[in-house]
Amino acid sequence: MHFAQYYLDCLSQASYLIGDETTGRAVLVDPRRDIDDYLHDAEAAGLRIELVIETHIHADFLSGHLELARATGATIAFGEAAETGFPIRRLRDGERISLGADDGQGVTLTVLATPGHTLESICLVLREHPEDDVPFGVLTGDTLFVGDVGRPDLLSAAGHTPQDMAARLHRSLHTKLLTLPDATRVFPAHGAGSACGRNLSSETSSTIGDQRRFNYALQPMPEADFVRLITAGQPATPGYFAHDAALNRDGHPLLEPGPPPALTLDEALAARDRQGAVLLDCRPLAAYTHAHLTGSLHTSLDTRFAEYAGSVVAPGTPIVLLAAPGTEQEARLRLARIGYDHVLGHLPDPSAVLADRPELSRASQRIRPEELAVQEPGLAPGEEGEAARRHGAEPARPQSADAMTTGATPADAVPTRPTPADIQLIDVRNPAEYEAGALPGARNVPLAGLSDRITELDPARPVVLYCRSGNRSVIAAALLEARGFTEVSDVIGGYDALGAGIQ
């Protein structure tokens, strides 16, 4: 048997190539859109990809089933409940897929219908030989993760409540997956960082036995308690999820490889002004905060670039990339993995352009953790200073990136910060992070939902943003600046840097 896991760190996404080496027949499960690695490895192993199986209709990335079907002639398969805009093979609960010379021989996959994350969700039990008592493993899609289970709330718009889907998920876990032998290896579709669950491990495989013992969601409990547990505290859903789910269900244009065209500064600004393009700065955070084009958005390639871009850029929006030299093609590909294909071009060497045109740029306003004066809820006027002293904070002023590196205060810096009572303190972490500990007086508006909830904030009042480490807060600050907020700062190092003293 040939078995290979392909794990894409930037999207926490796993796909699988499975083949029978005696016949050369192979299947690919949950592929991403750029398929060259699969094709190269299959050819090197002497395998023919005959079937592309999707464990469900994905929402967090654009799948490569159409690209693979074109490149290999493979049939596309989904669970029986799937409704798609293109021909598929419907896989029934209990159906066996044999890769041997004759039906029932060789490497075998058995389909388990496991609704809960979505209605059409399936898992695939993999045996090297059909008669093996203990399967080699089970591909669990988004039904079971290492350390968590799939979120049940993504179909709310389709009329299925999270509670109903969570109850289905409970039954799928206990009547299907947990009946497998403890030694069965678990191979999920996602790992830590994915918004498809709230407590995913960084491990990319496990066993049924370990998950039975250590996964919080699989501990013995009544179904009603499981439903309450799983429907609470899920991460905010990035704005592109519904867009990707629709494209994966209905069909999408095939991936067009290659770098984006180079644009001059005037062409980039014209695309913004005439075509409504977003200027997306994907340079490292330090470069962006030091100087960036006024009104540009930001998410760095060294973070969860595509997911964060999909949280602040609406699907279908034209994009001009402001990328460090040599990274523009990677940026375009990573956007294409979530279906953001409308990249008009890129601005070569943005840092050099900004140095030549300083009147078009600005530095980010950032606050050191020790400078943040926090306000406790319900304080009477005049009590904010005492609250700050109790939390070890001192009055502070927003500072430029130069001041952050030199420790000096530039002559044109804001001389005083507004009092805590004036500030809108916004925690852009996910709900579970916020509930585990937050700054006094902070409101939770997760980054993934900030664009939709921006009208809840007052652009006439100063905003201070923080996240866990100081990355998401910069992305959020860029979004607010682009929407016309003029007094926006974020906390360097985020909640982690503030330490355990502020709870």
Side-chain angles (χ1 to χ4, degrees):
M1 181 175 69
H2 179 96
F3 179 86
Q5 181 190 68
Y6 299 80
Y7 194 79
L8 193 62
D9 285 309
C10 60
L11 285 173
S12 305
Q13 185 262 333
S15 50
Y16 300 89
L17 176 62
I18 301 161
D20 189 313
E21 293 174 337
T22 62
T23 64
R25 301 174 65 196
V27 301
L28 194 53
V29 181
D30 291 339
R32 63 179 186 260
R33 198 177 178 198
D34 46 310
I35 61 173
D36 287 349
D37 286 348
Y38 309 132
L39 299 179
H40 175 272
D41 290 356
E43 182 179 10
L47 300 175
R48 302 180 309 279
I49 300 172
E50 298 181 354
L51 189 64
V52 180
I53 302 176
E54 299 287 5
T55 57
H56 62 290
I57 296 172
H58 301 281
D60 57 309
F61 72 101
L62 204 56
S63 184
H65 48 257
L66 296 179
E67 283 80 2
L68 277 163
R70 178 184 66 173
T72 68
T75 299
I76 301 169
F78 281 82
E80 193 170 20
E83 297 294 339
T84 65
F86 45 87
I88 62 171
R89 173 178 168 182
R90 297 182 182 278
L91 301 177
R92 303 180 308 277
D93 185 39
E95 181 175 348
R96 284 193 170 192
I97 300 168
S98 174
L99 302 180
D102 297 312
D103 192 33
Q105 294 184 358
V107 175
T108 302
L109 296 94
T110 303
V111 178
L112 302 180
T114 52
H117 176 63
T118 65
L119 293 173
E120 76 287 344
S121 289
I122 58 173
C123 297
L124 300 166
V125 180
L126 174 60
R127 288 179 169 86
E128 187 168 6
H129 309 99
E131 66 276 8
D132 291 344
D133 292 332
V134 178
F136 172 84
V138 56
L139 278 60
T140 56
D142 283 20
T143 297
L144 174 64
F145 302 123
V146 179
D148 206 349
V149 296
R151 62 188 300 170
D153 60 333
L154 295 183
L155 290 182
S156 298
H160 299 278
T161 69
Q163 291 73 23
D164 170 59
M165 296 302 292
R168 293 174 188 244
L169 180 60
H170 183 268
R171 292 190 288 272
S172 293
L173 292 165
H174 288 273
T175 65
K176 298 289 181 65
L177 290 179
L178 291 181
T179 65
L180 295 171
D182 279 357
T184 306
R185 282 168 279 197
V186 171
F187 298 103
H190 296 293
S194 170
C196 293
R198 65 182 188 186
N199 194 48
L200 282 71
S201 169
S202 59
E203 298 295 324
T204 58
S205 65
S206 181
T207 65
I208 287 292
D210 281 351
Q211 291 311 295
R212 193 192 310 276
R213 286 188 292 272
F214 303 122
N215 190 319
Y216 77 99
L218 300 185
Q219 301 313 297
M221 69 184 82
E223 181 180 292
D225 291 349
F226 174 87
V227 169
R228 282 191 292 269
L229 179 66
I230 297 305
T231 54
Q234 291 290 349
T237 305
Y240 75 92
F241 269 33
H243 172 72
D244 277 20
L247 292 178
N248 282 328
R249 181 189 65 236
D250 300 332
H252 59 260
L254 299 178
L255 177 65
E256 293 292 339
L263 303 177
T264 65
L265 176 60
D266 287 342
E267 289 171 331
L269 296 177
R272 178 194 65 186
D273 298 337
R274 298 173 188 171
Q275 297 177 255
V278 162
L279 305 180
L280 183 60
D281 194 320
C282 44
R283 296 174 299 153
L285 183 145
Y288 172 83
T289 56
H290 176 72
H292 56 266
L293 275 174
T294 301
S296 60
L297 298 181
H298 170 70
T299 174
S300 174
L301 278 171
D302 56 13
T303 65
R304 300 182 66 79
F305 170 70
E307 178 183 324
Y308 292 153
S311 296
V312 296
V313 180
T317 303
I319 295 171
V320 173
L321 297 170
L322 311 182
T327 65
E328 61 275 359
Q329 184 166 358
E330 173 70 12
R332 182 182 187 181
L333 173 61
R334 288 170 67 173
L335 289 172
R337 286 173 177 157
I338 64 165
Y340 279 41
D341 290 343
H342 203 182
V343 175
L344 302 180
H346 76 104
L347 182 65
D349 201 355
S351 296
V353 171
L354 292 169
D356 289 340
R357 298 290 301 275
E359 76 279 6
L360 297 178
S361 72
R362 62 175 295 169
S364 298
Q365 300 298 304
R366 311 202 73 195
I367 297 173
R368 296 186 184 95
E370 65 270 19
E371 295 174 321
L372 179 63
V374 296
Q375 180 187 12
E376 295 183 0
L379 291 180
E383 291 182 348
E384 299 90 350
E386 178 59 29
R389 283 189 290 275
R390 286 201 302 274
H391 291 298
E394 295 293 336
R397 61 180 63 88
Q399 296 194 10
S400 71
D402 289 333
M404 293 300 101
T405 57
T406 65
T409 301
D412 60 350
V414 179
T416 58
R417 275 187 78 245
T419 66
D422 297 328
I423 290 171
Q424 301 171 93
L425 182 60
I426 307 300
D427 184 328
V428 298
R429 298 176 299 163
N430 281 316
E433 296 174 278
Y434 176 79
E435 291 164 7
L439 295 185
R443 293 173 56 194
N444 185 216
V445 184
L447 175 63
L450 179 59
S451 185
D452 289 337
R453 296 178 58 186
I454 208 164
T455 55
E456 298 177 18
L457 306 183
D458 183 355
R461 293 174 55 205
V463 178
V464 175
L465 304 144
Y466 74 91
C467 60
R468 180 181 63 83
S469 63
N471 177 50
R472 284 172 287 178
S473 57
V474 172
I475 299 170
L479 176 62
L480 293 185
E481 288 177 6
R483 297 288 185 89
F485 286 68
T486 57
E487 294 187 69
V488 182
S489 306
D490 85 292
V491 180
I492 297 173
Y495 192 77
D496 283 356
L498 288 159
I502 300 179
Q503 293 290 334

PDB file of all heavy atoms in Angstrom, residues 40-67:
ATOM      1  N   HIS A  40       3.045  14.552  -9.407  1.00  0.00           N
ATOM      2  CA  HIS A  40       4.443  14.134  -9.448  1.00  0.00           C
ATOM      3  C   HIS A  40       4.653  12.870  -8.622  1.00  0.00           C
ATOM      4  O   HIS A  40       5.311  11.907  -9.069  1.00  0.00           O
ATOM      5  CB  HIS A  40       5.325  15.264  -8.916  1.00  0.00           C
ATOM      6  CG  HIS A  40       6.777  14.902  -8.808  1.00  0.00           C
ATOM      7  ND1 HIS A  40       7.318  14.316  -7.680  1.00  0.00           N
ATOM      8  CD2 HIS A  40       7.803  15.021  -9.691  1.00  0.00           C
ATOM      9  CE1 HIS A  40       8.600  14.099  -7.865  1.00  0.00           C
ATOM     10  NE2 HIS A  40       8.925  14.512  -9.081  1.00  0.00           N
ATOM     11  N   ASP A  41       4.101  12.844  -7.406  1.00  0.00           N
ATOM     12  CA  ASP A  41       4.315  11.697  -6.527  1.00  0.00           C
ATOM     13  C   ASP A  41       3.607  10.448  -7.046  1.00  0.00           C
ATOM     14  O   ASP A  41       4.140   9.331  -6.926  1.00  0.00           O
ATOM     15  CB  ASP A  41       3.834  12.024  -5.116  1.00  0.00           C
ATOM     16  CG  ASP A  41       4.720  13.050  -4.434  1.00  0.00           C
ATOM     17  OD1 ASP A  41       5.748  13.443  -5.023  1.00  0.00           O
ATOM     18  OD2 ASP A  41       4.374  13.486  -3.313  1.00  0.00           O
ATOM     19  N   ALA A  42       2.422  10.625  -7.607  1.00  0.00           N
ATOM     20  CA  ALA A  42       1.715   9.473  -8.162  1.00  0.00           C
ATOM     21  C   ALA A  42       2.496   8.872  -9.321  1.00  0.00           C
ATOM     22  O   ALA A  42       2.655   7.643  -9.424  1.00  0.00           O
ATOM     23  CB  ALA A  42       0.319   9.879  -8.610  1.00  0.00           C
ATOM     24  N   GLU A  43       3.013   9.716 -10.184  1.00  0.00           N
ATOM     25  CA  GLU A  43       3.798   9.216 -11.319  1.00  0.00           C
ATOM     26  C   GLU A  43       5.054   8.500 -10.832  1.00  0.00           C
ATOM     27  O   GLU A  43       5.410   7.425 -11.335  1.00  0.00           O
ATOM     28  CB  GLU A  43       4.168  10.374 -12.242  1.00  0.00           C
ATOM     29  CG  GLU A  43       4.949   9.943 -13.476  1.00  0.00           C
ATOM     30  CD  GLU A  43       5.279  11.097 -14.394  1.00  0.00           C
ATOM     31  OE1 GLU A  43       5.070  12.264 -13.996  1.00  0.00           O
ATOM     32  OE2 GLU A  43       5.773  10.839 -15.514  1.00  0.00           O
ATOM     33  N   ALA A  44       5.727   9.089  -9.816  1.00  0.00           N
ATOM     34  CA  ALA A  44       6.957   8.478  -9.310  1.00  0.00           C
ATOM     35  C   ALA A  44       6.690   7.114  -8.686  1.00  0.00           C
ATOM     36  O   ALA A  44       7.540   6.229  -8.727  1.00  0.00           O
ATOM     37  CB  ALA A  44       7.616   9.409  -8.297  1.00  0.00           C
ATOM     38  N   ALA A  45       5.495   6.954  -8.103  1.00  0.00           N
ATOM     39  CA  ALA A  45       5.147   5.685  -7.456  1.00  0.00           C
ATOM     40  C   ALA A  45       4.457   4.716  -8.401  1.00  0.00           C
ATOM     41  O   ALA A  45       4.077   3.608  -7.986  1.00  0.00           O
ATOM     42  CB  ALA A  45       4.253   5.950  -6.245  1.00  0.00           C
ATOM     43  N   GLY A  46       4.274   5.109  -9.646  1.00  0.00           N
ATOM     44  CA  GLY A  46       3.605   4.237 -10.608  1.00  0.00           C
ATOM     45  C   GLY A  46       2.119   4.104 -10.361  1.00  0.00           C
ATOM     46  O   GLY A  46       1.530   3.045 -10.629  1.00  0.00           O
ATOM     47  N   LEU A  47       1.492   5.165  -9.864  1.00  0.00           N
ATOM     48  CA  LEU A  47       0.065   5.127  -9.514  1.00  0.00           C
ATOM     49  C   LEU A  47      -0.763   5.948 -10.492  1.00  0.00           C
ATOM     50  O   LEU A  47      -0.311   6.970 -11.014  1.00  0.00           O
ATOM     51  CB  LEU A  47      -0.145   5.671  -8.095  1.00  0.00           C
ATOM     52  CG  LEU A  47       0.563   4.936  -6.959  1.00  0.00           C
ATOM     53  CD1 LEU A  47       0.358   5.680  -5.652  1.00  0.00           C
ATOM     54  CD2 LEU A  47       0.050   3.496  -6.851  1.00  0.00           C
ATOM     55  N   ARG A  48      -1.979   5.492 -10.726  1.00  0.00           N
ATOM     56  CA  ARG A  48      -2.965   6.219 -11.527  1.00  0.00           C
ATOM     57  C   ARG A  48      -4.091   6.681 -10.597  1.00  0.00           C
ATOM     58  O   ARG A  48      -4.749   5.845  -9.947  1.00  0.00           O
ATOM     59  CB  ARG A  48      -3.561   5.325 -12.622  1.00  0.00           C
ATOM     60  CG  ARG A  48      -2.557   4.726 -13.583  1.00  0.00           C
ATOM     61  CD  ARG A  48      -3.271   3.865 -14.624  1.00  0.00           C
ATOM     62  NE  ARG A  48      -4.196   2.893 -14.038  1.00  0.00           N
ATOM     63  CZ  ARG A  48      -3.833   1.722 -13.528  1.00  0.00           C
ATOM     64  NH1 ARG A  48      -2.542   1.373 -13.514  1.00  0.00           N
ATOM     65  NH2 ARG A  48      -4.723   0.894 -13.025  1.00  0.00           N
ATOM     66  N   ILE A  49      -4.309   7.975 -10.536  1.00  0.00           N
ATOM     67  CA  ILE A  49      -5.374   8.509  -9.686  1.00  0.00           C
ATOM     68  C   ILE A  49      -6.699   8.334 -10.426  1.00  0.00           C
ATOM     69  O   ILE A  49      -6.967   9.002 -11.426  1.00  0.00           O
ATOM     70  CB  ILE A  49      -5.125   9.985  -9.341  1.00  0.00           C
ATOM     71  CG1 ILE A  49      -3.805  10.134  -8.585  1.00  0.00           C
ATOM     72  CG2 ILE A  49      -6.284  10.547  -8.504  1.00  0.00           C
ATOM     73  CD1 ILE A  49      -3.375  11.570  -8.359  1.00  0.00           C
ATOM     74  N   GLU A  50      -7.536   7.392  -9.940  1.00  0.00           N
ATOM     75  CA  GLU A  50      -8.791   7.072 -10.604  1.00  0.00           C
ATOM     76  C   GLU A  50      -9.994   7.729  -9.941  1.00  0.00           C
ATOM     77  O   GLU A  50     -11.047   7.875 -10.567  1.00  0.00           O
ATOM     78  CB  GLU A  50      -9.000   5.552 -10.602  1.00  0.00           C
ATOM     79  CG  GLU A  50      -7.930   4.783 -11.352  1.00  0.00           C
ATOM     80  CD  GLU A  50      -8.191   3.288 -11.330  1.00  0.00           C
ATOM     81  OE1 GLU A  50      -9.142   2.854 -10.630  1.00  0.00           O
ATOM     82  OE2 GLU A  50      -7.468   2.543 -12.020  1.00  0.00           O
ATOM     83  N   LEU A  51      -9.845   8.102  -8.673  1.00  0.00           N
ATOM     84  CA  LEU A  51     -10.985   8.602  -7.905  1.00  0.00           C
ATOM     85  C   LEU A  51     -10.508   9.723  -6.985  1.00  0.00           C
ATOM     86  O   LEU A  51      -9.477   9.592  -6.326  1.00  0.00           O
ATOM     87  CB  LEU A  51     -11.598   7.462  -7.085  1.00  0.00           C
ATOM     88  CG  LEU A  51     -12.935   7.725  -6.371  1.00  0.00           C
ATOM     89  CD1 LEU A  51     -14.046   8.000  -7.383  1.00  0.00           C
ATOM     90  CD2 LEU A  51     -13.293   6.529  -5.492  1.00  0.00           C
ATOM     91  N   VAL A  52     -11.255  10.813  -6.965  1.00  0.00           N
ATOM     92  CA  VAL A  52     -11.005  11.919  -6.035  1.00  0.00           C
ATOM     93  C   VAL A  52     -12.181  11.957  -5.072  1.00  0.00           C
ATOM     94  O   VAL A  52     -13.325  12.155  -5.487  1.00  0.00           O
ATOM     95  CB  VAL A  52     -10.883  13.268  -6.772  1.00  0.00           C
ATOM     96  CG1 VAL A  52     -10.628  14.396  -5.775  1.00  0.00           C
ATOM     97  CG2 VAL A  52      -9.775  13.209  -7.822  1.00  0.00           C
ATOM     98  N   ILE A  53     -11.899  11.737  -3.786  1.00  0.00           N
ATOM     99  CA  ILE A  53     -12.960  11.669  -2.779  1.00  0.00           C
ATOM    100  C   ILE A  53     -12.893  12.904  -1.885  1.00  0.00           C
ATOM    101  O   ILE A  53     -11.830  13.233  -1.343  1.00  0.00           O
ATOM    102  CB  ILE A  53     -12.834  10.403  -1.908  1.00  0.00           C
ATOM    103  CG1 ILE A  53     -12.878   9.144  -2.780  1.00  0.00           C
ATOM    104  CG2 ILE A  53     -13.942  10.363  -0.862  1.00  0.00           C
ATOM    105  CD1 ILE A  53     -12.659   7.856  -1.990  1.00  0.00           C
ATOM    106  N   GLU A  54     -14.025  13.569  -1.738  1.00  0.00           N
ATOM    107  CA  GLU A  54     -14.145  14.665  -0.785  1.00  0.00           C
ATOM    108  C   GLU A  54     -14.914  14.169   0.431  1.00  0.00           C
ATOM    109  O   GLU A  54     -16.017  13.616   0.293  1.00  0.00           O
ATOM    110  CB  GLU A  54     -14.888  15.851  -1.413  1.00  0.00           C
ATOM    111  CG  GLU A  54     -14.194  16.456  -2.633  1.00  0.00           C
ATOM    112  CD  GLU A  54     -12.954  17.261  -2.282  1.00  0.00           C
ATOM    113  OE1 GLU A  54     -12.557  17.279  -1.097  1.00  0.00           O
ATOM    114  OE2 GLU A  54     -12.378  17.880  -3.201  1.00  0.00           O
ATOM    115  N   THR A  55     -14.344  14.327   1.620  1.00  0.00           N
ATOM    116  CA  THR A  55     -15.038  13.876   2.821  1.00  0.00           C
ATOM    117  C   THR A  55     -16.247  14.752   3.132  1.00  0.00           C
ATOM    118  O   THR A  55     -17.129  14.334   3.886  1.00  0.00           O
ATOM    119  CB  THR A  55     -14.096  13.864   4.038  1.00  0.00           C
ATOM    120  OG1 THR A  55     -13.544  15.177   4.225  1.00  0.00           O
ATOM    121  CG2 THR A  55     -12.980  12.838   3.842  1.00  0.00           C
ATOM    122  N   HIS A  56     -16.309  15.943   2.556  1.00  0.00           N
ATOM    123  CA  HIS A  56     -17.472  16.828   2.692  1.00  0.00           C
ATOM    124  C   HIS A  56     -17.242  18.029   1.786  1.00  0.00           C
ATOM    125  O   HIS A  56     -16.177  18.154   1.158  1.00  0.00           O
ATOM    126  CB  HIS A  56     -17.671  17.275   4.147  1.00  0.00           C
ATOM    127  CG  HIS A  56     -16.530  18.065   4.713  1.00  0.00           C
ATOM    128  ND1 HIS A  56     -15.306  17.497   4.984  1.00  0.00           N
ATOM    129  CD2 HIS A  56     -16.412  19.367   5.057  1.00  0.00           C
ATOM    130  CE1 HIS A  56     -14.486  18.410   5.481  1.00  0.00           C
ATOM    131  NE2 HIS A  56     -15.126  19.560   5.517  1.00  0.00           N
ATOM    132  N   ILE A  57     -18.211  18.899   1.706  1.00  0.00           N
ATOM    133  CA  ILE A  57     -18.053  20.143   0.957  1.00  0.00           C
ATOM    134  C   ILE A  57     -17.311  21.132   1.849  1.00  0.00           C
ATOM    135  O   ILE A  57     -17.851  21.642   2.826  1.00  0.00           O
ATOM    136  CB  ILE A  57     -19.426  20.705   0.515  1.00  0.00           C
ATOM    137  CG1 ILE A  57     -20.086  19.732  -0.465  1.00  0.00           C
ATOM    138  CG2 ILE A  57     -19.259  22.081  -0.124  1.00  0.00           C
ATOM    139  CD1 ILE A  57     -21.519  20.099  -0.823  1.00  0.00           C
ATOM    140  N   HIS A  58     -16.075  21.380   1.509  1.00  0.00           N
ATOM    141  CA  HIS A  58     -15.206  22.198   2.358  1.00  0.00           C
ATOM    142  C   HIS A  58     -15.602  23.675   2.293  1.00  0.00           C
ATOM    143  O   HIS A  58     -16.030  24.176   1.252  1.00  0.00           O
ATOM    144  CB  HIS A  58     -13.750  22.056   1.916  1.00  0.00           C
ATOM    145  CG  HIS A  58     -13.251  20.651   1.969  1.00  0.00           C
ATOM    146  ND1 HIS A  58     -12.858  20.050   3.139  1.00  0.00           N
ATOM    147  CD2 HIS A  58     -13.089  19.716   0.998  1.00  0.00           C
ATOM    148  CE1 HIS A  58     -12.462  18.811   2.890  1.00  0.00           C
ATOM    149  NE2 HIS A  58     -12.605  18.578   1.592  1.00  0.00           N
ATOM    150  N   ALA A  59     -15.384  24.359   3.409  1.00  0.00           N
ATOM    151  CA  ALA A  59     -15.657  25.791   3.469  1.00  0.00           C
ATOM    152  C   ALA A  59     -14.387  26.611   3.651  1.00  0.00           C
ATOM    153  O   ALA A  59     -14.381  27.802   3.348  1.00  0.00           O
ATOM    154  CB  ALA A  59     -16.630  26.107   4.618  1.00  0.00           C
ATOM    155  N   ASP A  60     -13.317  25.998   4.135  1.00  0.00           N
ATOM    156  CA  ASP A  60     -12.132  26.774   4.514  1.00  0.00           C
ATOM    157  C   ASP A  60     -11.066  26.837   3.427  1.00  0.00           C
ATOM    158  O   ASP A  60     -10.082  27.557   3.578  1.00  0.00           O
ATOM    159  CB  ASP A  60     -11.520  26.197   5.795  1.00  0.00           C
ATOM    160  CG  ASP A  60     -11.163  24.728   5.636  1.00  0.00           C
ATOM    161  OD1 ASP A  60     -12.023  23.949   5.199  1.00  0.00           O
ATOM    162  OD2 ASP A  60     -10.018  24.361   5.955  1.00  0.00           O
ATOM    163  N   PHE A  61     -11.219  26.098   2.351  1.00  0.00           N
ATOM    164  CA  PHE A  61     -10.288  26.193   1.226  1.00  0.00           C
ATOM    165  C   PHE A  61     -11.009  25.736  -0.032  1.00  0.00           C
ATOM    166  O   PHE A  61     -12.041  25.064   0.039  1.00  0.00           O
ATOM    167  CB  PHE A  61      -9.027  25.356   1.473  1.00  0.00           C
ATOM    168  CG  PHE A  61      -9.240  23.866   1.398  1.00  0.00           C
ATOM    169  CD1 PHE A  61      -8.888  23.151   0.265  1.00  0.00           C
ATOM    170  CD2 PHE A  61      -9.788  23.161   2.467  1.00  0.00           C
ATOM    171  CE1 PHE A  61      -9.085  21.775   0.192  1.00  0.00           C
ATOM    172  CE2 PHE A  61      -9.979  21.787   2.410  1.00  0.00           C
ATOM    173  CZ  PHE A  61      -9.630  21.094   1.272  1.00  0.00           C
ATOM    174  N   LEU A  62     -10.466  26.115  -1.179  1.00  0.00           N
ATOM    175  CA  LEU A  62     -11.039  25.689  -2.452  1.00  0.00           C
ATOM    176  C   LEU A  62     -10.377  24.379  -2.849  1.00  0.00           C
ATOM    177  O   LEU A  62      -9.157  24.305  -3.011  1.00  0.00           O
ATOM    178  CB  LEU A  62     -10.810  26.756  -3.514  1.00  0.00           C
ATOM    179  CG  LEU A  62     -11.785  26.746  -4.690  1.00  0.00           C
ATOM    180  CD1 LEU A  62     -13.223  26.861  -4.204  1.00  0.00           C
ATOM    181  CD2 LEU A  62     -11.469  27.874  -5.666  1.00  0.00           C
ATOM    182  N   SER A  63     -11.180  23.344  -2.984  1.00  0.00           N
ATOM    183  CA  SER A  63     -10.651  22.012  -3.231  1.00  0.00           C
ATOM    184  C   SER A  63     -10.219  21.849  -4.682  1.00  0.00           C
ATOM    185  O   SER A  63     -10.662  22.571  -5.578  1.00  0.00           O
ATOM    186  CB  SER A  63     -11.718  20.971  -2.884  1.00  0.00           C
ATOM    187  OG  SER A  63     -11.195  19.672  -3.020  1.00  0.00           O
ATOM    188  N   GLY A  64      -9.348  20.840  -4.885  1.00  0.00           N
ATOM    189  CA  GLY A  64      -8.796  20.610  -6.216  1.00  0.00           C
ATOM    190  C   GLY A  64      -9.450  19.488  -6.991  1.00  0.00           C
ATOM    191  O   GLY A  64      -8.839  18.942  -7.920  1.00  0.00           O
ATOM    192  N   HIS A  65     -10.695  19.123  -6.633  1.00  0.00           N
ATOM    193  CA  HIS A  65     -11.306  17.989  -7.345  1.00  0.00           C
ATOM    194  C   HIS A  65     -11.495  18.264  -8.834  1.00  0.00           C
ATOM    195  O   HIS A  65     -11.324  17.367  -9.662  1.00  0.00           O
ATOM    196  CB  HIS A  65     -12.639  17.583  -6.685  1.00  0.00           C
ATOM    197  CG  HIS A  65     -13.571  18.709  -6.393  1.00  0.00           C
ATOM    198  ND1 HIS A  65     -13.731  19.221  -5.131  1.00  0.00           N
ATOM    199  CD2 HIS A  65     -14.396  19.423  -7.188  1.00  0.00           C
ATOM    200  CE1 HIS A  65     -14.628  20.188  -5.169  1.00  0.00           C
ATOM    201  NE2 HIS A  65     -15.047  20.327  -6.407  1.00  0.00           N
ATOM    202  N   LEU A  66     -11.839  19.485  -9.191  1.00  0.00           N
ATOM    203  CA  LEU A  66     -12.038  19.786 -10.613  1.00  0.00           C
ATOM    204  C   LEU A  66     -10.711  19.796 -11.362  1.00  0.00           C
ATOM    205  O   LEU A  66     -10.630  19.323 -12.510  1.00  0.00           O
ATOM    206  CB  LEU A  66     -12.758  21.129 -10.767  1.00  0.00           C
ATOM    207  CG  LEU A  66     -14.184  21.196 -10.212  1.00  0.00           C
ATOM    208  CD1 LEU A  66     -14.764  22.585 -10.398  1.00  0.00           C
ATOM    209  CD2 LEU A  66     -15.079  20.156 -10.889  1.00  0.00           C
ATOM    210  N   GLU A  67      -9.665  20.361 -10.741  1.00  0.00           N
ATOM    211  CA  GLU A  67      -8.347  20.362 -11.369  1.00  0.00           C
ATOM    212  C   GLU A  67      -7.837  18.940 -11.586  1.00  0.00           C
ATOM    213  O   GLU A  67      -7.273  18.619 -12.644  1.00  0.00           O
ATOM    214  CB  GLU A  67      -7.362  21.153 -10.501  1.00  0.00           C
ATOM    215  CG  GLU A  67      -7.494  22.669 -10.595  1.00  0.00           C
ATOM    216  CD  GLU A  67      -8.624  23.246  -9.755  1.00  0.00           C
ATOM    217  OE1 GLU A  67      -9.308  22.465  -9.043  1.00  0.00           O
ATOM    218  OE2 GLU A  67      -8.842  24.461  -9.802  1.00  0.00           O
TER     219      GLU A  67
END
